[in-house]
Amino acid sequence: MSAWMKKLHWNKVFIAGLGYLIISTVLQQVEVMFTMKYYQDPALVGIWSKLMMPVAGPPPLAFFAISLLFSYATGCTLAAVFEFMSPLFGKGYWGKVIGFTDIMVGLAIVFSYFPMYLLLNIPAILLVWWLVASAVSILLTSIVFAKMMK
């Protein structure tokens, strides 16, 4: 374990990870209500993973279980990074919230959304929906992290 990781308050990180899990799950369900037509479009069937859509229709229960596990792992990772980077944003509550949100959304765009747009046959508007949902999720989670990880 790296030296910086030893300094983290892991109990807070694991609890804060639950905050992300809840927020992102709710926002993903809202986003799906607006984008369902893309998931049902036969022309796009080839871009969805076999885990999500082994056959036409709604994803199986295993997909939701793995999605929850991955969301929790993502939340714990974000919480650990938030705690580590928090001093860089000063002492102000909103400075920490906005600073962390800016960095995480910026990194998501560069390392995720740009490559998806270039490499995958995903409609650009769907990528925009995903980006907005992710940005709102990170903003709301940052608010929770800033309150929990003083």
Side-chain angles (χ1 to χ4, degrees):
M1 183 179 288
S2 299
W4 72 270
M5 293 176 79
K6 292 178 183 176
K7 295 178 182 178
L8 296 179
H9 298 97
W10 285 103
N11 56 338
K12 288 184 179 182
V13 167
F14 292 135
I15 293 168
L18 290 172
Y20 175 83
L21 170 65
I22 293 164
I23 290 167
S24 69
T25 300
V26 169
L27 285 173
Q28 285 171 357
Q29 295 308 308
V30 170
E31 174 259 314
V32 165
M33 290 188 317
F34 291 100
T35 59
M36 183 56 72
K37 67 180 180 181
Y38 296 103
Y39 300 103
Q40 296 173 332
D41 186 346
L44 299 176
V45 72
I47 65 172
W48 310 123
S49 75
K50 295 298 179 198
L51 181 61
M52 184 174 101
M53 270 189 210
V55 295
L61 191 56
F63 173 77
F64 290 108
I66 293 170
S67 179
L68 290 172
L69 178 66
F70 283 11
S71 290
Y72 180 64
T74 300
C76 290
T77 302
L78 286 171
V81 172
F82 181 91
E83 185 176 6
F84 175 73
M85 292 178 62
S86 188
L88 299 175
F89 304 126
K91 295 185 189 269
Y93 172 82
W94 286 108
K96 292 179 188 310
V97 169
I98 300 302
F100 186 74
T101 301
D102 284 348
I103 287 175
M104 290 298 113
V105 171
L107 289 174
I109 290 169
V110 171
F111 291 114
S112 187
Y113 294 97
F114 284 172
M116 281 191 284
Y117 181 72
L118 290 172
L119 300 174
L120 302 174
N121 186 25
I122 299 173
I125 191 68
L126 187 55
L127 290 175
V128 170
W129 273 104
W130 291 348
L131 174 60
V132 169
S134 294
V136 171
S137 180
I138 291 169
L139 173 64
L140 295 177
T141 302
S142 297
I143 290 169
V144 170
F145 289 173
K147 288 211 181 275
M148 290 182 69
M149 305 175 110
K150 296 179 184 174

